[in-house]
Amino acid sequence: MCQTLRACHGMDAPILLLTALKMQSEMEKGYHVGATDYLTKPFDLHHLALKLRALIDQADLCRRPNQFSFGPLRF
């Protein structure tokens, strides 16, 4: 999905992958397909909030449209 959002839909908003896959090779695959950041489970909610705030600030998402459609999904 990450790769499709980047390649087919031109989405440049940050994508944070939340996953249980902790191997270095899995993390590299995540970044290779277009993830902006990667967080493995279990994770601390405070750490998640910090990462999300940093991604929002870096991307200046407050100035972007607040909806994105991907097929039947709306973000």
Side-chain angles (χ1 to χ4, degrees), residues 5 15 19 25-26 32 37 41-42 44 46 53-54 60 65 73:
L5 287 170
I15 297 174
T19 179
S25 61
E26 295 296 334
H32 181 71
D37 206 348
K41 300 176 197 174
D44 178 76
H46 182 70
R53 174 53 48 202
D60 198 17
L73 304 174

Side-chain angles (χ1 to χ4, degrees), residues 5-72:
L5 287 170
R6 295 281 191 230
C8 299
H9 298 282
M11 184 178 159
D12 63 348
I15 297 174
L16 174 62
L17 294 182
L18 301 175
T19 179
L21 303 174
K22 296 182 179 190
M23 293 178 53
Q24 181 72 25
S25 61
E26 295 296 334
M27 187 182 299
E28 289 172 6
K29 285 179 191 175
Y31 286 120
H32 181 71
V33 297
T36 309
D37 206 348
Y38 193 96
L39 186 60
T40 59
K41 300 176 197 174
F43 54 84
D44 178 76
L45 288 179
H46 182 70
H47 190 194
L48 173 62
L50 290 172
K51 282 188 172 278
L52 291 173
R53 174 53 48 202
L55 291 172
I56 290 167
D57 290 346
Q58 288 170 7
D60 198 17
L61 292 179
C62 295
R63 297 182 187 182
R64 294 176 183 226
N66 57 9
Q67 273 194 5
F68 175 77
S69 297
F70 181 73

